[in-house]
Amino acid sequence: MTDFKYTLLEVAKKCNNVSNVGELYSSGEYYRLFADNGALAGILKHSDVLPLEEECVEQNKQQPVFVFDHKEKTICFNKAYETEPQRSAALAGVLNELRVKDKWPGLRKWRNELYPICKGKANSPSAMVERASSYSLGIRAFGVHINGYVRPTDGDGQLKMWIGKRSATKQTWPGFLDNMAAGGISNGDGAFASVIKECEEEAGLSADFVSSRARSAGTIQYLFSSKLGMKPETQYVYDIEMPADVVPRPSDGEVEEFYLLPIDKVLEKVRAGQFKPNCALCIIDFLIRHGIVTAENEPDYLEIIDNIHARLPFPGV
């Protein structure tokens, strides 16, 4: 029998590694970020707050974009900034200086993509900020993950999945295994439009092919803490049943190569820790939905489900 490095529950908890946000607040080591309408929007490490406050004051001594309450450990938008464009412009200047001065390590991965600081489904965002700042600001982010799979055709009865190996030059998790395609949802893009874009860019699949075959399969959610900060994230999951004669091909340099693996090999690599953490979470979700991991064969079944569908205390879009 194969010896595995991790149980599936341990794999899930490597991604959803914060189980109680309230404990973080009570520890005194984190600040809460609020949207302009008072909704909780993010969570920042204490060590990231001082350089943020210094730069906010440096940019505008009379009216810094954020107001800091060190007793309550809260950060709120200055009411002098009445519109989203005003708040976004002020934060763009602050974040760029934090990058230039290398005060927030996460900004070294600058993407030139904008993410929203959300304040609720019916509302426009409080501000748009550089994607690389989302870790340090601890704001909720959104993405898509696409599973490409092939039904059994060779008599062995095994489902197969297309697995990508991330390029060694990727800014994050180089060389790890990935879903067939995945990516963040940038400003102005919806989930399905992002699916089409990522499949074209990463796997060389045409928009017509993807739009006719991609099927929504729900979401996964998790709160991931790292040395860069907090990542409350929702991933929209899609499945694509791939014909045997359609092969994904690296297209934009983000994927080194693709493998078509039997499902037992995929599970083996998940439990060996070879996947990027949120990709492993997405595959566990796939295995549950397709009846491969069940309450009968997995003793931690319910706790795994809790960890791939974590409740996030931050508003969506």
Side-chain angles (χ1 to χ4, degrees), residues 122-141:
N123 298 288
S124 60
S126 284
M128 302 300 301
V129 294
E130 159 60 34
R131 174 177 176 172
S133 71
S134 61
Y135 262 115
S136 294
L137 291 170
I139 59 175
R140 186 173 179 179

Side-chain angles (χ1 to χ4, degrees), residues 211-227:
S211 62
S212 66
R213 287 182 170 268
R215 298 292 179 265
S216 176
T219 64
I220 59 172
Q221 292 194 153
Y222 49 86
L223 181 50
F224 181 63
S225 173
S226 76
K227 63 183 180 181

Side-chain angles (χ1 to χ4, degrees), residues 204-248:
L205 300 173
S206 72
D208 288 343
F209 175 85
V210 174
S211 62
S212 66
R213 287 182 170 268
R215 298 292 179 265
S216 176
T219 64
I220 59 172
Q221 292 194 153
Y222 49 86
L223 181 50
F224 181 63
S225 173
S226 76
K227 63 183 180 181
L228 296 180
M230 290 289 176
K231 193 74 165 177
E233 196 155 40
T234 297
Q235 298 287 349
Y236 294 91
V237 178
Y238 286 77
D239 292 344
I240 297 180
E241 183 178 342
M242 300 284 287
D245 61 347
V246 175
V247 177

Side-chain angles (χ1 to χ4, degrees), residues 87-136:
R87 293 185 287 267
S88 297
L91 280 174
V94 169
L95 294 173
N96 187 59
E97 285 302 308
L98 287 171
R99 174 181 66 151
V100 170
K101 297 172 183 176
D102 200 26
K103 291 186 175 182
W104 274 8
L107 295 179
R108 297 169 190 164
K109 302 178 186 296
W110 196 272
R111 303 287 193 93
N112 288 315
E113 295 179 37
L114 295 177
Y115 273 14
I117 296 180
C118 300
K119 59 181 180 180
K121 183 178 179 181
N123 298 288
S124 60
S126 284
M128 302 300 301
V129 294
E130 159 60 34
R131 174 177 176 172
S133 71
S134 61
Y135 262 115
S136 294

Side-chain angles (χ1 to χ4, degrees), residues 115-116 118 120-121 140-148 178-186 189-196 198-199 210 214-222 232-240 278-279 281-283 285-286 289 308-309 312 314-317:
Y115 273 14
C118 300
K121 183 178 179 181
R140 186 173 179 179
F142 302 84
V144 293
H145 278 241
I146 302 96
N147 299 300
D178 209 337
N179 305 106
M180 185 173 71
I185 299 177
S186 298
D189 291 339
F192 197 69
S194 298
V195 168
I196 293 172
E198 296 300 335
C199 285
V210 174
R215 298 292 179 265
S216 176
T219 64
I220 59 172
Q221 292 194 153
Y222 49 86
E233 196 155 40
T234 297
Q235 298 287 349
Y236 294 91
V237 178
Y238 286 77
D239 292 344
I240 297 180
N278 63 350
C279 298
L281 211 63
C282 184
I283 288 175
D285 173 67
F286 179 90
R289 290 188 290 103
I308 63 178
H309 300 294
L312 301 178
F314 308 98
V317 290

Side-chain angles (χ1 to χ4, degrees), residues 45-55 68 70 104:
K45 289 184 174 181
H46 188 282
S47 58
D48 284 333
V49 172
L50 180 58
L52 175 62
E53 184 176 25
E54 290 176 344
E55 200 53 52
F68 297 79
H70 296 293
W104 274 8

